[in-house]
Amino acid sequence: MSPQRFVGSAWASIHGPSDPVRMLRWLCESRFAGMVASPSPRPIAFAAMHELARDYPITFPAVRCSSILSERPNTAGLASARDGEAHVARQAVHTAVALATTIACRVVIVEPGLVPVFGEVEREDLGDASYDWTQQRLQALAARRKSGLAPALDRVCRELHGLARAFPDVTICLTQSRSALAVASLDALQLVYEDLPNLRLGYWHDAALCARREQAFAEPQGAWLEAFGDRCLGCNLGDARADGLYLPPGAGGVDYALLASSLRPHGKGASTCLELDPAIPSVELPGMRACLEHFGL
């Protein structure tokens, strides 16, 4: 029997109906167990759906603070030295927690900030297919990030400590970002967990972003679950190439056999979520489902 699989609201908001009852029916007919809530291209009536969901086998396992489509996450300022930017980032988490409370969810997914750098940044979105991400450009951007990483990490840890204390009943799951300036590299995320060992910090694995970071920065995609698998509460399923992110499973560099084998030792009860670029047509859903079921995901 296939595990329960959820869908991200970015794709569902475009391809599913807007009416809450019809959306619930569409989720069931599409064989999804529910939806991971997040800011989406079109608004979704999550509160109404939750009220109606008692009549359907539908749940909401997590709330994202930021859209998967956003180059700069709503929580970018968690690493900022500017009070205004940090305040905006904190408010994004507060907003996500409020939605989570409304839909009876206790997991909030947070991208832990972007490292501030001096000067103009030509590109930072690793999903930007129009940009020629040469190794020279990647290495130059990585060097600028590295120079500001230490103080950014300190600020992120302070912000996460305050947020975790403010919401003791919520598990904050840290995840990757599509920005090349993200705090959340493999090594840096390890330092965050080591610095905050007593807080309710989980991990949400993004298979597409891990594959893209492997392509760009040679971070092995399997190393993320090896390091953080015991904290993993969920996983985004989608694929990645240099010319795009959140592609249909099997269309890019994600090693789904490795992903499935890495999730199994830790992932009992972990949510799997099909996160897709809204441009992916719904007619591809049966093929995507078949690909994931082939690997037991």
Side-chain angles (χ1 to χ4, degrees), residues 78-198:
L78 289 178
S80 177
R82 298 180 178 179
D83 290 342
E85 292 177 351
H87 175 74
V88 170
R90 285 193 295 271
Q91 287 303 115
V93 180
H94 282 246
T95 299
V97 170
L99 176 57
T101 301
T102 299
I103 60 177
C105 167
R106 294 190 176 184
V107 175
V108 170
I109 305 169
V110 175
E111 297 173 43
L114 304 185
V115 177
V117 297
F118 293 106
E120 293 294 321
V121 176
E122 186 175 15
R123 292 286 193 279
E124 64 181 88
D125 183 5
L126 294 173
D128 187 345
S130 67
Y131 190 62
D132 183 13
W133 282 104
T134 65
Q135 281 302 306
Q136 183 179 9
R137 285 170 167 170
L138 285 164
Q139 290 169 10
L141 197 53
R144 294 176 67 185
R145 172 188 172 276
K146 184 177 180 180
S147 67
L149 178 59
L153 265 175
D154 288 341
R155 291 190 289 268
V156 164
C157 287
R158 286 197 297 272
E159 293 290 347
L160 290 175
H161 184 274
L163 289 166
R165 295 298 187 192
F167 304 112
D169 296 329
V170 171
T171 298
I172 296 175
C173 279
L174 305 183
T175 194
Q176 294 81 12
S177 172
R178 58 192 294 151
S179 172
L181 297 175
V183 167
S185 64
L186 182 58
D187 293 342
L189 204 56
Q190 182 70 62
L191 293 174
V192 172
Y193 289 126
E194 290 176 359
D195 193 62
L196 303 170
N198 299 318

Side-chain angles (χ1 to χ4, degrees), residues 10-23:
W11 190 79
S13 73
I14 298 298
H15 297 280
S18 58
D19 177 75
V21 173
R22 292 176 59 213
M23 175 67 89

Side-chain angles (χ1 to χ4, degrees), residues 46 53 58 78 135 205-206 216 232 261:
F46 288 110
I58 295 296
L78 289 178
Q135 281 302 306
H205 185 74
D206 193 306
C232 184
S261 63

Side-chain angles (χ1 to χ4, degrees), residues 18-75:
S18 58
D19 177 75
V21 173
R22 292 176 59 213
M23 175 67 89
L24 290 168
R25 291 174 181 166
W26 176 80
L27 290 170
C28 293
E29 291 166 359
S30 301
R31 294 163 54 184
F32 290 117
M35 190 187 304
V36 171
S38 73
S40 304
R42 294 180 183 172
I44 294 177
F46 288 110
M49 285 180 63
H50 172 66
E51 286 298 315
L52 296 164
R54 66 190 66 184
D55 298 324
Y56 297 86
I58 295 296
T59 58
F60 305 91
V63 174
R64 291 185 62 96
C65 293
S66 306
S67 169
I68 61 164
L69 307 175
S70 177
E71 175 182 357
R72 298 186 67 83
N74 295 339
T75 51

